[in-house]
Amino acid sequence: MKLENTTGTLYLCATPIGNLEDMTFRAVKILREVNFIAAEDTRHTRKLLTHFDIHTPLIRYDEFSKTQSGEKILNLLRGGKNIACVSDAGLPAISDPGADLVKLAVESNIKVCPIPGANAALSALICSALDTIKFTFVGFLPKTAKNRRELLTELSTRPETLIFYESPHHLKKTLTELLDALGNRNAVLARELTKVHEEFLRGKISELAENLSEPIGEFVIVVEGKKNSDEVQTPAENFIDVYKNLISQGIDKKSAIREVAKKFNLNRREIYTAVINL
Ligand code: SAM
């Protein structure tokens, strides 16, 4: 029997990323049984709940309301209420709100419980035919050009498969940035996962960027990790292109040389000599 003063449980509940049949029996049961559902977009979640005949009250919990809502949810949990956190699609806390709520709950000794299910990154990875043993989930790249560049430079040396999220209207630009930073590697675009027009586009990053057709839809980019053979020789033309690209983005010569040297593991003087006449 539940004691009056027992704290509640925070359930992190997966929802479908397209196909409603991916909703699990357990997710439906938990969403019916909890006292409240914390949802990223209450209108969006309401449609899902209506489909599954769930009538649990909703609390808005998104990036904008998370400080205020977080406190409210925590108080309800402390008071013994059970709460399920859902995002618009897939797993909450994966490129979606939820992670901060988990931290708050754990800091307050509140039990957290996963209700697993659909996730775009892992669904894309398992169909990619790229290495699934070692991989890095990058999610969305940072917004500022500088932070993006720094992260991509760091990722360029990693041997494991890389998984990115991106919104449809930035896809082409991001593929071009990946090409510049990582080289022309094998990659997979996993488009509209679990939906009617699901497809996997496979090829070199340059081919994928060239052959993109509208409408784009939702997709995950999975990129092969750096191969040992990449380290053997980097053609001079390649690092000069990267240097030119950095200069065209307004980076000063010294910083561009430093960045290229780091990326290609070359001596700065070598690069300086090669670019002096540009
Ligand atoms: N929490 C979600 C999860 O567990 O996968 C991710 C949410 S994140 C805000 C949205 C991004 O996930 C999209 O921009 C896209 O990159 C990817 N995504 C979500 N649903 C997808 C789908 N059905 N097909 C392909 N990519 C999808």
Side-chain angles (χ1 to χ4, degrees):
M1 199 181 80
K2 206 172 175 186
L3 296 173
E4 285 270 301
N5 62 353
T6 307
T7 55
T9 297
L10 175 66
Y11 295 93
L12 280 301
C13 187
T15 56
I17 56 170
N19 192 326
L20 287 177
E21 290 181 11
D22 290 335
M23 188 76 172
T24 67
F25 289 117
R26 191 169 170 226
V28 173
K29 180 172 174 283
I30 292 290
L31 291 179
R32 281 196 185 130
E33 287 176 359
V34 288
N35 301 100
F36 297 96
I37 298 170
E40 186 182 4
D41 177 339
T42 49
R43 279 202 299 186
H44 179 94
T45 300
R46 176 97 49 212
K47 287 183 199 156
L48 180 82
L49 300 188
T50 304
H51 182 87
F52 289 102
D53 199 21
I54 299 167
H55 303 280
T56 310
L58 286 162
I59 300 174
R60 180 178 164 207
Y61 181 81
D62 59 13
E63 279 308 309
F64 308 101
S65 63
K66 70 180 181 187
T67 312
Q68 224 183 348
S69 294
E71 264 318 301
K72 180 176 166 185
I73 292 166
L74 206 59
N75 283 333
L76 288 165
L77 287 162
R78 285 193 190 111
K81 303 292 184 204
N82 292 318
I83 299 193
C85 173
V86 300
S87 67
D88 287 352
L91 290 174
I94 298 294
S95 297
D96 265 337
D100 294 319
L101 196 54
V102 175
K103 269 189 211 141
L104 283 179
V106 170
E107 279 161 15
S108 299
N109 287 325
I110 283 161
K111 189 177 161 194
V112 292
C113 177
I115 308 295
N119 166 254
L122 291 181
S123 303
L125 177 70
I126 57 174
C127 293
S128 69
L130 298 175
D131 185 8
T132 59
I133 294 177
K134 284 189 180 168
F135 60 89
T136 289
F137 172 66
V138 185
F140 291 100
L141 285 169
K143 285 205 168 65
T144 66
K146 181 173 173 285
N147 292 348
R148 287 167 85 88
R149 228 182 13 254
E150 276 174 13
L151 178 58
L152 285 174
T153 305
E154 189 218 314
L155 293 172
S156 66
T157 56
R158 302 274 199 89
E160 70 270 19
T161 306
L162 303 171
I163 310 173
F164 301 88
Y165 283 166
E166 189 48 284
S167 62
H169 34 283
H170 293 138
L171 175 61
K172 206 152 193 159
K173 182 173 166 279
T174 298
L175 286 175
T176 312
E177 283 179 65
L178 293 180
L179 181 61
D180 280 348
L182 311 178
N184 205 7
R185 298 188 188 176
N186 291 320
V188 180
L189 287 183
R191 179 190 285 191
E192 295 285 86
L193 289 163
T194 77
K195 302 183 193 175
V196 180
H197 299 294
E198 175 182 274
E199 64 175 332
F200 295 93
L201 305 164
R202 302 170 202 274
K204 296 284 179 195
I205 299 178
S206 62
E207 294 161 358
L208 296 173
E210 271 163 34
N211 299 332
L212 266 189
S213 57
E214 304 281 344
I216 286 174
E218 288 200 287
F219 58 87
V220 178
I221 312 168
V222 190
V223 182
E224 187 175 41
K226 182 181 168 75
K227 281 193 171 158
N228 281 341
S229 57
D230 294 355
E231 286 159 10
V232 175
Q233 263 291 302
T234 309
E237 200 194 356
N238 203 345
F239 78 70
I240 288 176
D241 282 350
V242 174
Y243 172 84
K244 282 184 187 165
N245 191 21
L246 290 170
I247 296 295
S248 72
Q249 288 172 38
I251 312 285
D252 64 85
K253 286 184 188 168
K254 210 170 152 192
S255 309
I257 289 178
R258 198 182 317 120
E259 202 161 306
V260 172
K262 193 171 159 205
K263 177 171 174 187
F264 291 95
N265 201 14
L266 292 172
N267 185 302
R268 277 192 230 171
R269 180 150 292 282
E270 263 176 270
I271 303 166
Y272 181 77
T273 313
V275 302
I276 192 87
N277 293 324
L278 289 179

